[in-house]
Amino acid sequence: MLLGRVIGTVVPAVLVDELSATPLLWVQPLDREGQANGEPLVCADGTRMAGPGQIIYWAALTLDPWFVPVDDAIVGLVDEVRNYSAEELDQ
């Protein structure tokens, strides 16, 4: 799973029935330090709870039913991110 920040919403001109109740959000992928990492992408919001500025985690092909036509979907919301050093992880 990968981290991202919601930077906007997407309003499609045409939508398949399986996605009619699923919001589409514009997401900026983030690196371990919370900095932009790559080009923004569209994620289907399976949680239906993410909003502007929210840190989320996303993955590929996670919606139910699995055959809906999306590449990436929001899996959950992030409350906090902690980066640990190697020494802290060894304890």
Side-chain angles (χ1 to χ4, degrees):
M1 289 188 219
L2 303 164
L3 290 178
R5 175 177 283 112
V6 176
I7 58 173
T9 59
V10 176
V11 179
V14 178
L15 195 59
V16 296
D17 290 339
E18 294 86 359
L19 290 175
S20 63
T22 305
L24 300 176
L25 300 178
W26 192 237
V27 173
Q28 173 62 60
L30 302 175
D31 64 15
R32 290 179 52 99
E33 285 74 40
Q35 301 301 312
N37 184 23
E39 295 295 318
L41 51 96
V42 175
C43 288
D45 183 10
T47 69
R48 294 171 183 79
M49 298 185 334
Q54 176 75 48
I55 303 293
I56 54 92
Y57 55 102
W58 57 278
L61 304 174
T62 59
L63 289 182
D64 187 32
W66 63 269
F67 55 85
V68 295
V70 298
D71 290 332
D72 303 297
I74 294 173
V75 177
L77 308 179
V78 176
D79 290 326
E80 183 177 0
V81 176
R82 294 182 187 177
N83 287 321
Y84 293 102
S85 67
E87 293 81 27
E88 291 173 305
L89 291 174
D90 287 338
Q91 295 178 6

